[in-house]
Amino acid sequence: MAASSSTKPIFILPPPITTSSSSNSKQLSFLYNTTTPISIKLSHSCKNRALTITNATKTVDSAQTSSVSKTRGGSYDDTVSSGTKPTILVSEKLGEAGLSLLRDSANVDCSYDLSPEDLCKKISSCDALIVRSGTKVTRQVFEAANGRLKVVGRAGVGIDNVDLQAATEFGCLVVNAPTANTVAAAEHGIALLAAMARNVAQADASMKAGQWQRNRYVGVSLVGKTLAVMGFGKVGSEVARRAKGLGMHVIAHDPYAPADRARAVGVELVSFDQAISTADFISLHMPLTPTTKKVFNDDTFAKAKNGVRIINVARGGVIDEDALVRALDSGKVAQAALDVFTEEPPSKDSKLVQHEKVTVTPHLGASTKEAQEGVAIEIAEAVVGALNGELSATAVNAPMVPAEVISELAPYVLLTEKLGRLAVQLVAGGRGVKSVKVVYESARGPDDLDTRLLRAMITKGIIEPISDSFVNLVNADFIAKQKGLRISEERVAVEKTPEYPIHSIRVQISEVDSKFGSAILEGGDISIEGRVKYGVPHLTKVGSFSVDASLEGNLILCRQVDQPGMIGQVGNILGERNVNVNFMSVGRTVRRKQAIMAIGVDEEPCQETLKKIGEVPAVEEFVFLEL
C-alpha cells in the first residue's frame, strides 16, 4: 500500500553507516560484512587462481558496533583497521616456503598435535586456520571461534575433515590446494599399481628376512590389462595418462566428468557397474561423501571380476575395509595397494594392514618434496588472499564463478548490492520481506549470462540492513533460506549491444507496504531499477518514475508537485544545515503533475532538517536512504 500523500510522513532510519578513514580498511571482501567492491582485478601472484577485489570501503553500523564485537569476538576487519596483523593458526606441519609467505602478512602460530579441546580454546583468537588431513574442523570449532574465524585452508585436495555446512552457516570460507600435489598423488598411484602387480613389497620383506622365493612372488603384467579409474578428476586423469603409457586399456567412471576431456586422454567413460565388472585393476580417485562412503562393499566386490586388484590413494572411507578383507580371503580380490584408511593411522593389529595380499603406505600420496612445497605455497596464497579480500578459485563453499565472468560482472556487483540495500529500506510495516524478484535486461543469450554472483550480492544487500546475522557470499543463500526469503530471477531480452552483459537490473519486493508510495507499481510491488553508467552504479527508476541518481553516499527521495523552485527550496534547507549535496536529479511522468527528486548527500541530515523538507508545501512524501 502506498503512503498517504496528505500526511507527508517523515521517515527516520537507524543511525548512519559510517565510513572508516583508515587506509588499511580499503579492502573489501566477498567474505566480510562490508559494502561491495568498486573494481575487481585478476591477481597474477597466485597464477590466476584468485580474484582480487579492491577499492572498497568497509562500513559499520555505529549502533551495532559494540554488540557485534561482543557476539563475534572481533573480526579480521577489526584487526586490519587497528593496524595489527591477523593471526593464522597452522595445526599441522606445512612447508617452509608456505610459512614464509604467511609470515609476510600475518602472525603465524604453528601449534601441532592439538587436541580437539585445545583447538577450540585457541581458535577464538585466530582469523584463519590451516590444516592437513589430521585436524578435524568440527561445528564445535566454528562455534568456539565466536565469528572471528574467516578462512579455513586445507593443505591438500580432500575437505572431508572440515564441516562445510557449519563453515557456511558461520560465514567462514573454506579453501583447499587441489593442484600442487596432483602429479605426486598420480605418481604414487602408479607406483602402488606396479609394486602390487610385481609383489615388490612382499619380495623385499622376504629377502630381508634371509629368504629367496622367486616362485612365490611371480607377478602379473600390466600391458593389455584394463584399468578402471573411479573418479576422473585431476588425479584420476593423470593416472589414466600414465597407465596408457604402460600399455593398459583405461576406462573411467565419473558422473561429472565431461566426455570431451576423457576422449582427449583416450579414455572411455562407462557406468559404475560396467567399470567394476570389466576391470582387471581398479584405481580409486573419488572424494569421500555420503554417496561414496563405503561404496566398495560386499555387493560391489561381488560384481567385480575374479582376481581384480585395487589401488586406493584417495580416501580410505570409500572402501568397507571389513568387506575388502573378506574379498581378499576368498580370492575375489587378488591384491590391494592402499595409501589411505578409514582410520588414520590404522590400528597396529589391523587385519587389512597385516594381510599378506595387501601393500600399504602411510598416506604418502602427496609426500614428495616438490609437492609439499607446492601445496604449502598454494594454500598460503589462498588463505592470505582470502584475508586480503580475494575470492579464491579454490574456494569450496562459495559461489564458484569463472575468473573471466567475475571480471566482466565487476561493475554490476556493486550495483546489485546497492539495489538490494535500497529496496529493503523502502519496506514499511512488520510483515517482513519474503519474496523478491530480480529482472535482468540483457542482449546476451540465457547460456551467456551467469548471474549467480549477482544473485548472491542482492541477497546480501537485502538481508544485512534488516538482520543482525553476519552475512557474506559464503552464507548468503543459507541465511536467505533460513529466514524464508525467496529470490527468483528473470531475464528479459533487449536489442542492445551484447558487448555489455547487462543493460539494467530491476529488484521487486512483493507483499509488503512501502515507506515511499511512489516506489509502488500498479501490481503492488516495490520496484527499483538501476544500471551501470561509465562504470558507476546508477538508480534509473523508482516505481514508474525515471530518475538518474548515482548510488554513492546517502540519498533523499522526494515526491513533489512538478513546479519551479523546488530544487532551490530543498537545496537551501540542506545548505543551511551544512549538508553537502553532491547531485540532484528530477524525474517526472507528466509535465506540471508529479515528479521525484533524487538528492545525493554526503552527510546524514538531522531530524530537524528532514522535518523542514517535509514541511515544504509541494513535497508530498520523502524518504532518507543510506547506501
Side-chain angles (χ1 to χ4, degrees):
M1 294 176 60
S4 170
S5 61
S6 61
T7 57
K8 295 199 297 187
I10 297 177
F11 301 107
I12 307 298
L13 294 183
I17 294 177
T18 57
T19 304
S20 168
S21 59
S22 168
S23 60
N24 287 331
S25 70
K26 290 190 177 181
Q27 34 188 338
L28 150 338
S29 78
F30 285 101
L31 301 179
Y32 312 119
N33 203 18
T34 65
T35 57
T36 359
I38 293 172
S39 65
I40 299 179
K41 66 180 181 181
L42 288 177
S43 169
H44 299 289
S45 62
C46 298
K47 298 180 183 177
N48 294 326
R49 287 196 298 269
L51 295 163
T52 304
I53 304 147
T54 57
N55 298 333
T57 306
K58 175 176 166 40
T59 59
V60 180
D61 189 329
S62 58
Q64 298 178 358
T65 301
S66 59
S67 63
V68 168
S69 62
K70 289 178 183 177
T71 58
R72 297 179 188 163
S75 70
Y76 172 63
D77 294 282
D78 301 328
T79 303
V80 170
S81 60
S82 66
T84 59
K85 290 183 176 181
T87 297
I88 300 176
L89 174 62
V90 180
S91 67
E92 296 177 69
K93 289 185 178 180
L94 195 68
E96 187 57 39
L99 291 174
S100 179
L101 281 174
L102 294 174
R103 292 185 181 114
D104 288 341
S105 304
N107 299 313
V108 180
D109 178 358
C110 293
S111 297
Y112 306 143
D113 301 319
L114 292 172
S115 68
E117 294 75 19
D118 290 338
L119 177 60
C120 287
K121 289 178 182 177
K122 268 186 170 291
I123 204 65
S124 62
S125 61
C126 300
D127 304 288
L129 169 65
I130 295 179
V131 302
R132 299 188 75 87
S133 60
T135 302
K136 305 299 181 184
V137 190
T138 63
R139 177 175 291 275
Q140 288 70 34
V141 173
F142 291 106
E143 291 174 346
N146 292 323
R148 177 165 175 172
L149 185 65
K150 294 296 179 291
V151 188
V152 171
R154 164 67 167 93
V157 180
I159 39 80
D160 45 277
N161 57 317
V162 180
D163 189 331
L164 283 182
Q165 179 65 27
T168 299
E169 291 177 23
F170 284 89
C172 182
L173 186 72
V174 179
V175 296
N176 64 354
T179 61
N181 62 3
T182 296
V183 171
E187 288 178 344
H188 195 63
I190 292 295
L192 287 178
L193 171 70
M196 174 182 62
R198 300 305 297 270
N199 298 303
V200 171
Q202 294 85 345
D204 173 74
S206 173
M207 283 198 66
K208 288 177 178 175
Q211 300 172 334
W212 184 266
Q213 297 177 298
R214 293 183 65 192
N215 292 333
R216 182 176 181 181
Y217 296 117
V218 174
V220 294
S221 182
L222 299 178
V223 66
K225 297 297 194 305
T226 297
L227 171 68
V229 176
M230 309 302 288
F232 199 66
K234 293 182 175 67
V235 178
S237 57
E238 291 298 329
V239 166
R241 287 188 179 93
R242 286 157 177 77
K244 287 186 68 65
L246 295 172
M248 302 187 78
H249 171 61
V250 182
I251 58 177
H253 170 72
D254 189 326
Y256 305 107
D260 56 348
R261 181 157 60 87
R263 285 194 297 269
V265 182
V267 172
E268 179 187 3
L269 288 177
V270 299
S271 68
F272 183 89
D273 286 349
Q274 186 178 351
I276 297 303
S277 62
T278 59
D280 301 299
F281 293 81
I282 300 173
S283 187
L284 309 186
H285 303 285
M286 54 185 61
L288 179 60
T289 68
T291 303
T292 63
K293 185 176 182 180
K294 293 187 177 181
V295 68
F296 282 84
N297 48 41
D298 289 315
D299 291 340
T300 306
F301 294 133
K303 298 175 183 178
K305 289 176 66 174
N306 291 330
V308 69
R309 290 170 168 82
I310 294 176
I311 308 99
N312 188 9
V313 293
R315 286 290 175 267
V318 302
I319 294 179
D320 182 335
E321 293 180 349
D322 292 336
L324 178 56
V325 170
R326 290 190 288 271
L328 288 163
D329 288 341
S330 69
K332 184 68 175 182
V333 175
Q335 290 177 293
L338 309 173
D339 185 49
V340 290
F341 306 88
T342 300
E343 179 184 343
E344 294 186 354
S347 62
K348 294 181 180 180
D349 60 350
S350 166
K351 292 182 179 180
L352 187 62
V353 172
Q354 300 299 330
H355 205 288
E356 63 177 354
K357 297 180 180 179
V358 177
T359 301
V360 292
T361 53
H363 206 143
L364 297 179
S367 296
T368 65
K369 291 181 179 179
E370 296 83 358
Q372 291 295 297
E373 181 176 348
V375 166
I377 292 172
E378 185 174 18
I379 198 62
E381 288 178 340
V383 169
V384 170
L387 289 177
N388 284 335
E390 299 171 6
L391 181 59
S392 173
T394 66
V396 296
N397 67 334
M400 297 309 298
V401 182
E404 62 274 13
V405 173
I406 294 186
S407 180
E408 184 177 51
L409 292 181
Y412 305 92
V413 169
L414 183 56
L415 172 63
T416 49
E417 186 185 1
K418 293 288 189 182
L419 289 176
R421 286 181 176 272
L422 193 154
V424 78
Q425 290 181 74
L426 292 172
V427 174
R431 286 192 289 176
V433 178
K434 295 299 181 184
S435 180
V436 177
K437 181 179 180 181
V438 186
V439 180
Y440 306 97
E441 287 192 345
S442 175
R444 301 277 183 90
D447 297 331
D448 196 23
L449 183 60
D450 189 336
T451 61
R452 289 174 297 169
L453 178 59
L454 303 182
R455 171 191 166 92
M457 294 310 296
I458 288 173
T459 305
K460 173 177 163 62
I462 289 173
I463 291 176
E464 279 190 341
I466 59 174
S467 170
D468 58 359
S469 300
F470 178 72
V471 183
N472 59 27
L473 279 192
V474 175
N475 64 6
D477 285 344
F478 171 80
I479 291 182
K481 182 177 180 181
Q482 187 182 54
K483 295 184 179 299
L485 176 63
R486 301 182 304 276
I487 297 185
S488 61
E489 296 176 288
E490 180 181 322
R491 190 189 73 88
V492 176
V494 293
E495 294 184 0
K496 303 286 184 180
T497 173
E499 177 184 355
Y500 301 103
I502 297 171
H503 174 65
S504 67
I505 300 173
R506 183 167 74 251
V507 176
Q508 294 180 207
I509 300 180
S510 303
E511 301 175 6
V512 293
D513 297 331
S514 178
K515 294 178 178 179
F516 190 63
S518 302
I520 299 288
L521 295 176
E522 288 185 3
D525 292 354
I526 291 177
S527 177
I528 59 171
E529 191 171 310
R531 60 180 299 190
V532 173
K533 297 175 62 177
Y534 312 109
V536 177
H538 278 67
L539 178 66
T540 56
K541 210 165 196 180
V542 177
S544 59
F545 290 85
S546 295
V547 296
D548 186 10
S550 174
L551 292 177
E552 298 176 301
N554 300 314
L555 187 66
I556 298 173
L557 294 178
C558 294
R559 185 183 73 197
Q560 65 197 46
V561 176
D562 185 26
Q563 64 183 37
M566 289 302 302
I567 292 177
Q569 288 186 63
V570 176
N572 285 335
I573 293 172
L574 294 171
E576 289 171 359
R577 298 303 178 105
N578 201 32
V579 177
N580 191 50
V581 175
N582 54 55
F583 70 83
M584 278 191 176
S585 171
V586 178
R588 61 190 179 185
T589 53
V590 180
R591 184 178 179 183
R592 296 285 183 164
K593 292 294 185 182
Q594 287 182 324
I596 283 186
M597 179 163 50
I599 309 165
V601 292
D602 292 335
E603 299 84 18
E604 179 189 6
C606 66
Q607 293 189 29
E608 184 62 29
T609 302
L610 293 172
K611 182 179 178 182
K612 279 187 169 294
I613 293 174
E615 290 173 349
V616 174
V619 173
E620 297 176 340
E621 65 169 349
F622 74 96
V623 64
F624 172 72
L625 304 167
E626 297 172 318
L627 296 175

